[in-house]
Amino acid sequence: MDLFDDIPLDLPDAQLRFEPHWLSVEEADDWFARLVAETPWEQPSVHLHGRDYPVPRLLAWYGDAEASYRYSGLVHRPLPWTPLLAEIRARVQEAVGQPLNGALLNYYRDGQDSMGWHSDDEAELGRDPLIASLNLGGTRRFDLRRKGSGRIGHSLQLGHGALLVMSGPTQHHWQHQVAKTRTPCDPRLNLTFRWIRS
């Protein structure tokens, strides 16, 4: 359901900007193919309740030399920007109007790859972080819920070439997820750019 495809995302206690066609199809196709082929993907494990579980997707962390990032108990040391990622970062920075020194790349190979409920509220992101999420490849549903709520408050479809920007108080009040789905879907690549305070 494309609840917000051509209207502003007007949620209480949130600042969200959604551009479903930020990139042309040709450019999105090119970036997707090159990033999937060039990225040294990893599948780390997280330790929960005495057991190790592989993260249900592949990932890579790129950034400036000082931009180490800790989340889910893992410390990610940045890979240096490739020429392509440096170009993409420059385009995203221009779109959001502020510097960004790190990018988490998540590769969802199929509908069983997912991201659980969370907020991007780690200390090194600062008080009101800006998260710029660029989506390439298959369309996946992106859910939002108020913190403390057990039900989905809003959903939108993140498709090929879409840019979603979350800023202001959003991470204080909202969580988001990309749930598993049995619906057949193409592989999806998500790049989330952010500013890491060293």
Side-chain angles (χ1 to χ4, degrees):
M1 60 184 161
D2 295 326
L3 294 181
F4 303 109
D5 259 9
D6 295 301
I7 58 174
L9 281 175
D10 188 17
L11 305 185
D13 304 314
Q15 288 179 18
L16 298 165
R17 185 175 122 214
F18 182 43
E19 297 186 34
H21 308 293
W22 185 70
L23 271 186
S24 70
V25 172
E26 295 76 22
E27 203 160 32
D29 285 347
D30 176 58
W31 288 3
F32 178 81
R34 289 165 64 192
L35 288 168
V36 169
E38 295 171 7
T39 303
W41 297 108
E42 296 181 344
Q43 188 174 21
S45 291
V46 293
H47 195 72
L48 288 171
H49 312 300
R51 291 183 59 192
D52 290 325
Y53 297 91
V55 171
R57 62 195 173 279
L58 304 181
L59 56 86
W61 173 249
Y62 285 86
D64 294 351
E66 74 281 359
S68 290
Y69 186 41
R70 177 192 297 274
Y71 72 95
S72 297
L74 302 171
V75 177
H76 297 272
R77 311 241 175 259
L79 295 164
W81 300 104
T82 65
L84 174 58
L85 280 169
E87 175 193 342
I88 296 172
R89 173 173 72 153
R91 290 273 295 276
V92 174
Q93 286 181 150
E94 186 180 356
V96 303
Q98 77 169 55
L100 302 161
N101 64 356
L104 182 64
L105 279 60
N106 285 297
Y107 185 37
Y108 299 80
R109 297 158 292 182
D110 56 33
Q112 292 308 293
D113 278 358
S114 62
M115 172 85 77
W117 286 113
H118 71 286
S119 299
D120 294 306
D121 55 5
E122 292 80 16
E124 58 263 51
L125 296 178
R127 176 161 172 76
D128 291 324
L130 182 145
I131 310 292
S133 172
L134 173 61
N135 301 274
L136 303 170
T139 298
R140 290 291 292 270
R141 197 186 78 205
F142 182 86
D143 300 320
L144 291 144
R145 72 178 182 189
R146 294 287 301 217
K147 284 188 176 179
S149 171
R151 67 180 188 85
I152 295 169
H154 295 274
S155 296
L156 60 153
Q157 301 286 349
L158 297 183
H160 195 38
L163 182 69
L164 173 67
V165 183
M166 300 182 283
S167 58
T170 308
Q171 306 301 327
H172 297 286
H173 301 283
W174 293 86
Q175 294 180 313
H176 49 276
Q177 73 163 358
V178 176
K180 295 184 189 299
T181 176
R182 291 199 177 99
T183 304
C185 53
D186 291 332
R188 169 186 182 246
L189 185 56
N190 174 246
L191 294 76
T192 53
F193 290 87
R194 57 200 77 200
W195 178 263
I196 305 294
R197 296 162 183 262
S198 54

